[in-house]
mmCIF file of all heavy atoms in Angstrom:
data_model
loop_
_atom_site.group_PDB
_atom_site.id
_atom_site.type_symbol
_atom_site.label_atom_id
_atom_site.label_comp_id
_atom_site.label_asym_id
_atom_site.label_seq_id
_atom_site.Cartn_x
_atom_site.Cartn_y
_atom_site.Cartn_z
ATOM 1 N N GLN A 2 -51.727 53.745 -26.427
ATOM 2 C CA GLN A 2 -50.924 54.393 -27.458
ATOM 3 C C GLN A 2 -49.481 53.888 -27.393
ATOM 4 O O GLN A 2 -48.819 54.022 -26.372
ATOM 5 C CB GLN A 2 -50.911 55.914 -27.253
ATOM 6 C CG GLN A 2 -52.129 56.670 -27.708
ATOM 7 C CD GLN A 2 -52.243 56.784 -29.215
ATOM 8 O OE1 GLN A 2 -53.214 56.361 -29.797
ATOM 9 N NE2 GLN A 2 -51.235 57.351 -29.839
ATOM 10 N N TYR A 32 -38.336 51.219 -37.385
ATOM 11 C CA TYR A 32 -38.404 52.212 -38.461
ATOM 12 C C TYR A 32 -39.368 53.291 -38.041
ATOM 13 O O TYR A 32 -40.452 52.998 -37.529
ATOM 14 C CB TYR A 32 -38.852 51.559 -39.762
ATOM 15 C CG TYR A 32 -38.572 52.395 -40.981
ATOM 16 C CD1 TYR A 32 -37.277 52.528 -41.468
ATOM 17 C CD2 TYR A 32 -39.596 53.052 -41.644
ATOM 18 C CE1 TYR A 32 -37.010 53.296 -42.585
ATOM 19 C CE2 TYR A 32 -39.334 53.824 -42.754
ATOM 20 C CZ TYR A 32 -38.048 53.946 -43.223
ATOM 21 O OH TYR A 32 -37.774 54.693 -44.323
ATOM 22 N N LEU A 34 -41.038 57.325 -38.904
ATOM 23 C CA LEU A 34 -41.328 58.283 -39.966
ATOM 24 C C LEU A 34 -41.968 59.522 -39.372
ATOM 25 O O LEU A 34 -42.589 59.472 -38.305
ATOM 26 C CB LEU A 34 -42.318 57.699 -40.981
ATOM 27 C CG LEU A 34 -42.068 56.331 -41.557
ATOM 28 C CD1 LEU A 34 -42.744 55.261 -40.710
ATOM 29 C CD2 LEU A 34 -42.622 56.253 -42.973
ATOM 30 N N TYR A 36 -44.719 62.491 -40.745
ATOM 31 C CA TYR A 36 -45.632 62.960 -41.767
ATOM 32 C C TYR A 36 -46.071 64.368 -41.408
ATOM 33 O O TYR A 36 -46.172 64.738 -40.236
ATOM 34 C CB TYR A 36 -46.876 62.059 -41.846
ATOM 35 C CG TYR A 36 -46.691 60.792 -42.645
ATOM 36 C CD1 TYR A 36 -46.131 59.660 -42.073
ATOM 37 C CD2 TYR A 36 -47.091 60.722 -43.972
ATOM 38 C CE1 TYR A 36 -45.969 58.488 -42.802
ATOM 39 C CE2 TYR A 36 -46.940 59.560 -44.709
ATOM 40 C CZ TYR A 36 -46.375 58.455 -44.121
ATOM 41 O OH TYR A 36 -46.216 57.304 -44.847
ATOM 42 N N LYS A 38 -49.135 67.292 -42.174
ATOM 43 C CA LYS A 38 -50.520 67.363 -42.649
ATOM 44 C C LYS A 38 -51.033 68.794 -42.595
ATOM 45 O O LYS A 38 -51.056 69.419 -41.532
ATOM 46 C CB LYS A 38 -51.419 66.451 -41.803
ATOM 47 C CG LYS A 38 -52.849 66.421 -42.292
ATOM 48 C CD LYS A 38 -53.717 65.587 -41.389
ATOM 49 C CE LYS A 38 -55.164 65.594 -41.876
ATOM 50 N NZ LYS A 38 -55.725 66.945 -42.040
ATOM 51 N N GLY A 43 -54.585 65.053 -46.895
ATOM 52 C CA GLY A 43 -54.049 63.878 -46.238
ATOM 53 C C GLY A 43 -52.613 64.122 -45.804
ATOM 54 O O GLY A 43 -51.950 65.036 -46.298
ATOM 55 N N PRO A 44 -52.113 63.299 -44.876
ATOM 56 C CA PRO A 44 -50.704 63.414 -44.466
ATOM 57 C C PRO A 44 -49.778 63.151 -45.649
ATOM 58 O O PRO A 44 -50.086 62.343 -46.531
ATOM 59 C CB PRO A 44 -50.556 62.319 -43.403
ATOM 60 C CG PRO A 44 -51.938 62.033 -42.934
ATOM 61 C CD PRO A 44 -52.821 62.254 -44.122
ATOM 62 N N PHE A 46 -45.604 62.276 -46.514
ATOM 63 C CA PHE A 46 -44.354 61.796 -45.946
ATOM 64 C C PHE A 46 -43.306 62.912 -45.943
ATOM 65 O O PHE A 46 -43.153 63.652 -46.913
ATOM 66 C CB PHE A 46 -43.844 60.603 -46.740
ATOM 67 C CG PHE A 46 -42.451 60.188 -46.379
ATOM 68 C CD1 PHE A 46 -42.205 59.557 -45.177
ATOM 69 C CD2 PHE A 46 -41.392 60.438 -47.232
ATOM 70 C CE1 PHE A 46 -40.922 59.167 -44.839
ATOM 71 C CE2 PHE A 46 -40.110 60.063 -46.903
ATOM 72 C CZ PHE A 46 -39.864 59.424 -45.700
ATOM 73 N N PHE A 89 -47.130 64.360 -37.607
ATOM 74 C CA PHE A 89 -47.344 63.056 -36.984
ATOM 75 C C PHE A 89 -46.058 62.252 -37.051
ATOM 76 O O PHE A 89 -45.424 62.172 -38.106
ATOM 77 C CB PHE A 89 -48.419 62.260 -37.727
ATOM 78 C CG PHE A 89 -49.804 62.815 -37.612
ATOM 79 C CD1 PHE A 89 -50.317 63.650 -38.591
ATOM 80 C CD2 PHE A 89 -50.605 62.495 -36.525
ATOM 81 C CE1 PHE A 89 -51.608 64.158 -38.487
ATOM 82 C CE2 PHE A 89 -51.893 62.993 -36.419
ATOM 83 C CZ PHE A 89 -52.388 63.834 -37.401
ATOM 84 N N GLY A 96 -42.125 45.595 -42.000
ATOM 85 C CA GLY A 96 -43.066 44.685 -42.625
ATOM 86 C C GLY A 96 -44.410 44.621 -41.948
ATOM 87 O O GLY A 96 -45.282 43.881 -42.389
ATOM 88 N N ASN A 97 -44.591 45.411 -40.914
ATOM 89 C CA ASN A 97 -45.856 45.431 -40.195
ATOM 90 C C ASN A 97 -46.439 46.834 -40.180
ATOM 91 O O ASN A 97 -45.812 47.778 -40.627
ATOM 92 C CB ASN A 97 -45.667 44.909 -38.768
ATOM 93 C CG ASN A 97 -45.313 43.439 -38.758
ATOM 94 O OD1 ASN A 97 -46.163 42.572 -38.869
ATOM 95 N ND2 ASN A 97 -44.030 43.154 -38.652
ATOM 96 N N GLN A 98 -47.627 46.950 -39.640
ATOM 97 C CA GLN A 98 -48.331 48.208 -39.727
ATOM 98 C C GLN A 98 -47.608 49.335 -39.000
ATOM 99 O O GLN A 98 -46.849 49.109 -38.073
ATOM 100 C CB GLN A 98 -49.753 48.072 -39.191
ATOM 101 C CG GLN A 98 -49.864 47.947 -37.679
ATOM 102 C CD GLN A 98 -51.309 48.100 -37.219
ATOM 103 O OE1 GLN A 98 -52.091 47.145 -37.249
ATOM 104 N NE2 GLN A 98 -51.663 49.297 -36.794
ATOM 105 N N PHE A 99 -47.904 50.558 -39.474
ATOM 106 C CA PHE A 99 -47.389 51.751 -38.822
ATOM 107 C C PHE A 99 -48.317 52.143 -37.674
ATOM 108 O O PHE A 99 -49.537 52.057 -37.798
ATOM 109 C CB PHE A 99 -47.325 52.920 -39.797
ATOM 110 C CG PHE A 99 -46.409 52.700 -40.975
ATOM 111 C CD1 PHE A 99 -46.526 53.490 -42.101
ATOM 112 C CD2 PHE A 99 -45.434 51.711 -40.962
ATOM 113 C CE1 PHE A 99 -45.683 53.304 -43.191
ATOM 114 C CE2 PHE A 99 -44.597 51.521 -42.052
ATOM 115 C CZ PHE A 99 -44.717 52.322 -43.178
ATOM 116 N N PHE A 101 -49.266 55.448 -35.424
ATOM 117 C CA PHE A 101 -49.120 56.893 -35.496
ATOM 118 C C PHE A 101 -49.307 57.523 -34.128
ATOM 119 O O PHE A 101 -50.125 57.075 -33.328
ATOM 120 C CB PHE A 101 -50.153 57.490 -36.455
ATOM 121 C CG PHE A 101 -49.839 57.248 -37.907
ATOM 122 C CD1 PHE A 101 -50.139 56.036 -38.500
ATOM 123 C CD2 PHE A 101 -49.244 58.240 -38.674
ATOM 124 C CE1 PHE A 101 -49.850 55.807 -39.841
ATOM 125 C CE2 PHE A 101 -48.955 58.015 -40.014
ATOM 126 C CZ PHE A 101 -49.257 56.799 -40.589
ATOM 127 N N GLY A 102 -48.582 58.630 -33.902
ATOM 128 C CA GLY A 102 -48.820 59.456 -32.737
ATOM 129 C C GLY A 102 -50.034 60.349 -32.953
ATOM 130 O O GLY A 102 -50.649 60.339 -34.025
ATOM 131 N N THR A 103 -50.361 61.126 -31.947
ATOM 132 C CA THR A 103 -51.571 61.950 -31.976
ATOM 133 C C THR A 103 -51.372 63.275 -32.697
ATOM 134 O O THR A 103 -52.328 63.984 -32.944
ATOM 135 C CB THR A 103 -52.066 62.229 -30.554
ATOM 136 O OG1 THR A 103 -50.975 62.732 -29.787
ATOM 137 C CG2 THR A 103 -52.586 60.962 -29.903
ATOM 138 N N TYR B 35 -57.555 54.210 -42.861
ATOM 139 C CA TYR B 35 -57.292 54.678 -41.519
ATOM 140 C C TYR B 35 -58.461 55.549 -41.062
ATOM 141 O O TYR B 35 -59.164 56.144 -41.861
ATOM 142 C CB TYR B 35 -56.036 55.562 -41.482
ATOM 143 C CG TYR B 35 -54.722 54.859 -41.684
ATOM 144 C CD1 TYR B 35 -54.196 54.681 -42.959
ATOM 145 C CD2 TYR B 35 -53.978 54.408 -40.590
ATOM 146 C CE1 TYR B 35 -52.963 54.048 -43.144
ATOM 147 C CE2 TYR B 35 -52.745 53.782 -40.768
ATOM 148 C CZ TYR B 35 -52.251 53.613 -42.050
ATOM 149 O OH TYR B 35 -51.027 53.000 -42.233
ATOM 150 N N GLN B 37 -58.978 58.849 -38.233
ATOM 151 C CA GLN B 37 -58.285 59.788 -37.360
ATOM 152 C C GLN B 37 -59.288 60.402 -36.407
ATOM 153 O O GLN B 37 -60.270 61.013 -36.839
ATOM 154 C CB GLN B 37 -57.603 60.907 -38.160
ATOM 155 C CG GLN B 37 -56.820 61.857 -37.263
ATOM 156 C CD GLN B 37 -56.427 63.137 -37.954
ATOM 157 O OE1 GLN B 37 -56.738 63.373 -39.120
ATOM 158 N NE2 GLN B 37 -55.708 63.980 -37.246
ATOM 159 N N GLY B 40 -57.045 63.116 -30.336
ATOM 160 C CA GLY B 40 -56.333 62.467 -29.241
ATOM 161 C C GLY B 40 -55.949 61.025 -29.494
ATOM 162 O O GLY B 40 -55.444 60.353 -28.590
ATOM 163 N N MET B 41 -56.177 60.537 -30.735
ATOM 164 C CA MET B 41 -55.913 59.119 -31.005
ATOM 165 C C MET B 41 -54.955 58.903 -32.163
ATOM 166 O O MET B 41 -54.526 57.796 -32.393
ATOM 167 C CB MET B 41 -57.222 58.394 -31.337
ATOM 168 C CG MET B 41 -58.236 58.377 -30.211
ATOM 169 S SD MET B 41 -57.641 57.468 -28.782
ATOM 170 C CE MET B 41 -57.662 55.803 -29.396
ATOM 171 N N GLY B 42 -54.628 59.928 -32.915
ATOM 172 C CA GLY B 42 -53.775 59.699 -34.075
ATOM 173 C C GLY B 42 -54.521 58.952 -35.169
ATOM 174 O O GLY B 42 -55.738 58.821 -35.136
ATOM 175 N N LEU B 43 -53.783 58.423 -36.115
ATOM 176 C CA LEU B 43 -54.376 57.627 -37.190
ATOM 177 C C LEU B 43 -54.312 56.151 -36.798
ATOM 178 O O LEU B 43 -53.268 55.662 -36.381
ATOM 179 C CB LEU B 43 -53.610 57.807 -38.507
ATOM 180 C CG LEU B 43 -53.869 59.085 -39.285
ATOM 181 C CD1 LEU B 43 -52.984 60.195 -38.785
ATOM 182 C CD2 LEU B 43 -53.612 58.864 -40.773
ATOM 183 N N GLU B 59 -55.963 47.526 -36.875
ATOM 184 C CA GLU B 59 -56.078 47.708 -35.424
ATOM 185 C C GLU B 59 -57.522 47.833 -34.965
ATOM 186 O O GLU B 59 -57.889 47.362 -33.879
ATOM 187 C CB GLU B 59 -55.296 48.977 -35.060
ATOM 188 C CG GLU B 59 -55.002 49.207 -33.614
ATOM 189 C CD GLU B 59 -54.209 50.504 -33.430
ATOM 190 O OE1 GLU B 59 -53.724 51.085 -34.421
ATOM 191 O OE2 GLU B 59 -54.086 50.935 -32.272
ATOM 192 N N PHE B 90 -59.149 58.219 -43.830
ATOM 193 C CA PHE B 90 -58.126 58.396 -44.849
ATOM 194 C C PHE B 90 -57.830 57.067 -45.529
ATOM 195 O O PHE B 90 -57.650 56.043 -44.879
ATOM 196 C CB PHE B 90 -56.825 58.928 -44.239
ATOM 197 C CG PHE B 90 -56.909 60.343 -43.779
ATOM 198 C CD1 PHE B 90 -57.081 60.637 -42.435
ATOM 199 C CD2 PHE B 90 -56.805 61.395 -44.677
ATOM 200 C CE1 PHE B 90 -57.161 61.945 -41.997
ATOM 201 C CE2 PHE B 90 -56.880 62.704 -44.251
ATOM 202 C CZ PHE B 90 -57.062 62.983 -42.910
ATOM 203 N N PHE B 98 -46.917 47.837 -46.265
ATOM 204 C CA PHE B 98 -46.099 48.383 -45.190
ATOM 205 C C PHE B 98 -44.665 48.624 -45.651
ATOM 206 O O PHE B 98 -43.716 48.459 -44.899
ATOM 207 C CB PHE B 98 -46.132 47.486 -43.952
ATOM 208 C CG PHE B 98 -47.528 47.264 -43.433
ATOM 209 C CD1 PHE B 98 -47.987 45.979 -43.169
ATOM 210 C CD2 PHE B 98 -48.398 48.318 -43.230
ATOM 211 C CE1 PHE B 98 -49.282 45.767 -42.710
ATOM 212 C CE2 PHE B 98 -49.700 48.123 -42.769
ATOM 213 C CZ PHE B 98 -50.124 46.835 -42.509
ATOM 214 N N GLN B 99 -44.569 49.017 -46.911
ATOM 215 C CA GLN B 99 -43.244 49.308 -47.455
ATOM 216 C C GLN B 99 -42.608 50.456 -46.705
ATOM 217 O O GLN B 99 -43.257 51.457 -46.400
ATOM 218 C CB GLN B 99 -43.387 49.680 -48.931
ATOM 219 C CG GLN B 99 -42.081 49.941 -49.631
ATOM 220 C CD GLN B 99 -42.270 50.096 -51.126
ATOM 221 O OE1 GLN B 99 -43.335 49.770 -51.644
ATOM 222 N NE2 GLN B 99 -41.272 50.574 -51.809
ATOM 223 N N ILE B 100 -41.338 50.325 -46.399
ATOM 224 C CA ILE B 100 -40.711 51.351 -45.575
ATOM 225 C C ILE B 100 -39.540 52.033 -46.251
ATOM 226 O O ILE B 100 -39.052 53.032 -45.749
ATOM 227 C CB ILE B 100 -40.245 50.774 -44.225
ATOM 228 C CG1 ILE B 100 -39.193 49.674 -44.438
ATOM 229 C CG2 ILE B 100 -41.426 50.267 -43.417
ATOM 230 C CD1 ILE B 100 -38.551 49.204 -43.146
ATOM 231 N N TYR B 101 -39.087 51.563 -47.383
ATOM 232 C CA TYR B 101 -37.952 52.218 -48.024
ATOM 233 C C TYR B 101 -38.369 52.774 -49.380
ATOM 234 O O TYR B 101 -39.049 52.116 -50.141
ATOM 235 C CB TYR B 101 -36.790 51.242 -48.201
ATOM 236 C CG TYR B 101 -36.201 50.801 -46.884
ATOM 237 C CD1 TYR B 101 -36.250 49.474 -46.494
ATOM 238 C CD2 TYR B 101 -35.629 51.712 -46.027
ATOM 239 C CE1 TYR B 101 -35.719 49.064 -45.287
ATOM 240 C CE2 TYR B 101 -35.098 51.314 -44.814
ATOM 241 C CZ TYR B 101 -35.147 49.995 -44.453
ATOM 242 O OH TYR B 101 -34.627 49.595 -43.263
ATOM 243 N N GLU B 104 -42.960 55.661 -49.043
ATOM 244 C CA GLU B 104 -43.873 55.559 -47.917
ATOM 245 C C GLU B 104 -45.320 55.603 -48.411
ATOM 246 O O GLU B 104 -45.581 55.688 -49.585
ATOM 247 C CB GLU B 104 -43.600 56.733 -46.963
ATOM 248 C CG GLU B 104 -42.514 56.462 -45.942
ATOM 249 C CD GLU B 104 -41.244 55.889 -46.505
ATOM 250 O OE1 GLU B 104 -40.550 56.591 -47.268
ATOM 251 O OE2 GLU B 104 -40.920 54.750 -46.188
ATOM 252 N N GLN B 105 -46.243 55.540 -47.525
ATOM 253 C CA GLN B 105 -47.656 55.543 -47.904
ATOM 254 C C GLN B 105 -48.097 56.925 -48.399
ATOM 255 O O GLN B 105 -47.722 57.942 -47.823
ATOM 256 C CB GLN B 105 -48.515 55.115 -46.715
ATOM 257 C CG GLN B 105 -48.262 53.674 -46.320
ATOM 258 C CD GLN B 105 -49.074 53.239 -45.105
ATOM 259 O OE1 GLN B 105 -50.032 53.899 -44.716
ATOM 260 N NE2 GLN B 105 -48.698 52.130 -44.523
ATOM 261 N N PHE B 107 -51.335 59.335 -49.019
ATOM 262 C CA PHE B 107 -52.669 59.461 -48.456
ATOM 263 C C PHE B 107 -53.591 60.281 -49.347
ATOM 264 O O PHE B 107 -53.164 61.221 -50.018
ATOM 265 C CB PHE B 107 -52.600 60.146 -47.084
ATOM 266 C CG PHE B 107 -52.113 59.250 -45.986
ATOM 267 C CD1 PHE B 107 -50.763 59.033 -45.795
ATOM 268 C CD2 PHE B 107 -53.018 58.619 -45.138
ATOM 269 C CE1 PHE B 107 -50.312 58.204 -44.781
ATOM 270 C CE2 PHE B 107 -52.577 57.791 -44.119
ATOM 271 C CZ PHE B 107 -51.222 57.577 -43.933
ATOM 272 N N GLY B 108 -54.876 59.940 -49.301
ATOM 273 C CA GLY B 108 -55.904 60.752 -49.916
ATOM 274 C C GLY B 108 -56.271 61.922 -49.015
ATOM 275 O O GLY B 108 -55.762 62.036 -47.900
ATOM 276 N N PRO B 109 -57.180 62.801 -49.470
ATOM 277 C CA PRO B 109 -57.527 64.020 -48.722
ATOM 278 C C PRO B 109 -58.454 63.779 -47.546
ATOM 279 O O PRO B 109 -58.654 64.673 -46.735
ATOM 280 C CB PRO B 109 -58.194 64.910 -49.776
ATOM 281 C CG PRO B 109 -58.767 63.937 -50.742
ATOM 282 C CD PRO B 109 -57.825 62.786 -50.802
#
Side-chain angles (χ1 to χ4, degrees):
Chain A
Q2 282 287 122
Y32 197 74
L34 311 91
Y36 279 84
K38 183 184 179 305
F46 170 72
F89 292 96
N97 293 279
Q98 73 169 83
F99 298 162
F101 286 81
T103 51
Chain B
Y35 289 89
Q37 183 194 1
M41 297 296 290
L43 282 86
E59 194 179 349
F90 290 101
F98 303 130
Q99 183 171 347
I100 61 172
Y101 294 117
E104 273 49 66
Q105 294 178 16
F107 284 82

